Amino acid sequence: DFYGQTHNQVALLDEPEVAKILHDIWARRASAAHPLQLLNAAKQSEPYGALVKKFPSWESLLECEVSAMCHDLQHFESPPYHYDRASNRIGYKQMDGICYDVVYGYRTAFAYLNEQTRQNLRDPDSALKGALKMRVSCGQFSYANIRPARILGVSGTVEALGDHEWCIMNRYGIEMYTHMPSVYGSSNFRFLDQHDSIIVACTADEHLVAITEQVSQKLKQGRAVIVFFEDAKRLKEYEASPYYQNIANKNVLRESQSHDDKEYAIKKAATAGQATFTTAVFGRGTDFFCNDPKLQEAGGVH
């Protein structure tokens, strides 16, 4: 994805009329499916007229930005956002965590207004003051076409690149590649060579039962178990089931947790008799490191 992306520079226009326009568009969210009607209504509003009067030479730019507001309204929940009450900020999932420095156009502004409507904002004035601004585009710079004096990068898949990927790499004059072996040594990961590596369940309930039986069996052997669900929805479904309550020593590792809570769950996961339930996003780039000799003797993490 990075290869085709752009670095987008914006200037923030912090004027009270902008906040009023965003409030007005949000109040008309029942018409979100008709952005042209929203735009026409917004252009006839008093705040829009005052803003154009304040910046008469920017009228076409202002109309363009208000049009973007109207289009973003119907998609303000995509991608899904996370509101952290402690920091009073909205963030988005990136890798195995939540990033609070990412903004998705005016969708993020409407996400804050949505939380205000639901009376979830801890400090509404502070949150909305930072979010309700006009984001004037100042240019887009293609990452692929920026030509710096040096290109440095780290990848875990250089040895697996195909001909097309190497063609792209060579186009940018990257001449030196260094392979560094894993500091953890050879992988002990086993999957398809296990006799019970694949289990087919006929129903959703049978699937949850199979998970619970597998976890219980491995824990009785003195091992640790990490279960990766497809997404947070599947994880919640298992947590809500009666089978989850039958697991004694268990932790849940979620993307929405604080950094300290995630670190605790990750460190605890590779200890004897511990079950950890998490989502697929933690399956790559997360170091579940084992310092438990008893666990190693029992067969390691399952």
Side-chain angles (χ1 to χ4, degrees):
D1 291 342
F2 178 83
Y3 179 69
Q5 296 301 311
T6 58
H7 176 62
N8 306 317
Q9 287 282 4
V10 298
L12 299 178
L13 184 61
D14 186 6
E15 297 291 336
E17 293 84 1
V18 173
K20 290 177 181 178
I21 291 171
L22 284 163
H23 273 289
D24 183 58
I25 293 174
W26 176 251
R28 300 172 185 272
R29 59 189 177 277
S31 303
H34 307 283
L36 188 57
Q37 292 181 16
L38 273 177
L39 176 60
N40 290 332
K43 288 172 63 178
Q44 295 172 17
S45 68
E46 182 179 337
Y48 182 83
L51 192 62
V52 171
K53 187 176 181 179
K54 188 179 288 188
F55 302 101
S57 60
W58 291 9
E59 184 172 0
S60 60
L61 184 149
L62 297 175
E63 180 179 353
C64 181
E65 291 303 319
V66 172
S67 176
M69 295 175 187
C70 297
H71 280 85
D72 279 359
L73 176 60
Q74 60 182 320
H75 305 296
F76 79 90
E77 291 184 297
S78 177
Y81 66 84
H82 170 75
Y83 172 65
D84 179 66
R85 186 172 178 80
S87 63
N88 199 38
R89 298 178 69 188
I90 280 176
Y92 296 90
K93 183 180 77 173
Q94 282 199 344
M95 301 298 288
D96 61 346
I98 303 293
C99 179
Y100 295 94
D101 295 322
V102 175
V103 175
Y104 285 91
Y106 297 105
R107 282 177 277 178
T108 304
F110 290 124
Y112 275 101
L113 288 171
N114 185 48
E115 292 304 305
Q116 182 201 33
T117 302
R118 296 163 64 182
Q119 298 184 337
N120 289 338
L121 293 180
R122 179 176 57 80
D123 184 352
D125 292 339
S126 174
L128 296 180
K129 179 175 175 57
L132 304 187
K133 300 178 182 180
M134 185 170 286
R135 310 182 63 81
V136 181
S137 176
C138 297
Q140 296 177 298
F141 302 89
S142 169
Y143 289 120
N145 291 324
I146 294 175
R147 297 187 178 276
R150 295 286 184 273
I151 299 177
L152 300 175
V154 178
S155 172
T157 57
V158 169
E159 292 184 317
L161 295 180
D163 292 341
H164 179 65
E165 287 84 0
W166 277 116
C167 181
I168 293 173
M169 297 283 278
N170 293 335
R171 187 184 306 167
Y172 294 96
I174 301 176
E175 300 175 350
M176 182 180 295
Y177 299 87
T178 302
H179 177 256
M180 183 180 294
S182 171
V183 296
Y184 299 113
S186 300
S187 172
N188 293 321
F189 179 74
R190 299 291 181 269
F191 181 61
L192 291 177
D193 56 349
Q194 300 181 71
H195 72 280
D196 57 351
S197 59
I198 298 177
I199 297 176
V200 179
C202 297
T203 66
D205 191 67
E206 287 182 10
H207 182 216
L208 301 184
V209 170
I211 291 173
T212 307
E213 290 177 348
Q214 280 275 315
V215 171
S216 299
Q217 178 187 353
K218 301 303 179 185
L219 293 181
K220 287 178 181 178
Q221 297 171 2
R223 300 178 67 180
V225 181
I226 304 176
V227 180
F228 294 95
F229 288 87
E230 179 182 359
D231 50 35
K233 179 182 176 182
R234 301 292 185 190
L235 174 57
K236 285 182 179 179
E237 288 174 355
Y238 183 69
E239 285 185 271
S241 73
Y243 313 113
Y244 175 76
Q245 308 305 322
N246 295 331
I247 307 297
N249 298 320
K250 55 183 178 286
N251 275 327
V252 175
L253 177 58
R254 297 186 182 87
E255 300 163 60
S256 58
Q257 287 174 323
S258 69
H259 174 76
D260 290 342
D261 288 343
K262 284 189 283 189
E263 284 295 307
Y264 174 80
I266 290 169
K267 289 179 180 178
K268 188 78 173 174
T271 56
Q274 179 67 48
T276 302
F277 300 91
T278 185
T279 53
V281 71
F282 288 98
R284 179 177 181 182
T286 306
D287 293 327
F288 295 97
F289 190 72
C290 178
N291 281 318
D292 187 348
K294 292 184 179 179
L295 177 59
Q296 296 281 26
E297 293 174 4
V301 177
H302 177 74

